[in-house]
Amino acid sequence: MNITQFHTITEQLFNKIELFLDNYVNEHDIDLDYETNGNVITISFPNGSKIIINTQEPLFQVWLATQKQGYHFDYIDNNWICNRTDKSFDQIFSESVKEQAEL
């Protein structure tokens, strides 16, 4: 992967995240807020907790920080996969949003 490919793939991921959050807000009637600033998305929940997602260009990774822990994802076979758990970004992210929305 080169830097141009990485930017394209992470831009697609960020668009997917924003769509997920918009749908989650509408489906669950929750007032969460998110802000994208460059290569960082910060999601703020009504209970004060946050999820932060950012890209790590030198490593070609995406990092996800939740209230409980942090995850590092590598792009493998067209999916972002956690390098510790082998779970997909989508799975960990959706579980984390649900958990922090319910705190």
Side-chain angles (χ1 to χ4, degrees):
M1 175 182 318
N2 63 40
I3 196 69
T4 302
Q5 293 168 321
F6 179 73
H7 284 186
T8 299
I9 294 166
T10 55
E11 182 178 336
Q12 291 169 350
L13 176 65
F14 276 34
N15 289 338
K16 186 176 176 181
I17 290 167
E18 290 175 359
L19 181 60
F20 173 89
L21 292 171
D22 290 341
N23 289 334
Y24 193 89
V25 165
N26 290 333
E27 290 173 12
H28 296 91
D29 194 30
I30 184 172
D31 187 28
L32 63 82
D33 186 38
Y34 67 89
E35 178 182 358
T36 303
N37 189 2
N39 68 337
V40 179
I41 296 177
T42 303
I43 306 162
S44 302
F45 294 87
N47 58 25
S49 69
K50 293 184 186 295
I51 290 177
I52 299 172
I53 303 155
N54 68 307
T55 62
Q56 294 295 318
E57 287 183 9
L59 303 172
F60 294 120
Q61 290 184 329
V62 171
W63 290 6
L64 169 67
T66 70
Q67 185 170 356
K68 284 190 171 180
Q69 65 184 31
Y71 304 89
H72 298 173
F73 297 86
D74 295 308
Y75 197 68
I76 302 170
D77 296 329
N78 297 320
N79 287 301
W80 289 102
I81 304 296
C82 178
N83 63 9
R84 282 183 295 136
T85 66
D86 291 327
K87 292 183 179 180
S88 72
F89 178 91
D90 294 343
Q91 181 181 359
I92 293 173
F93 176 66
S94 62
E95 289 171 359
S96 298
V97 168
K98 180 180 178 185
E99 183 177 309
Q100 288 187 223
E102 294 176 354
L103 291 177

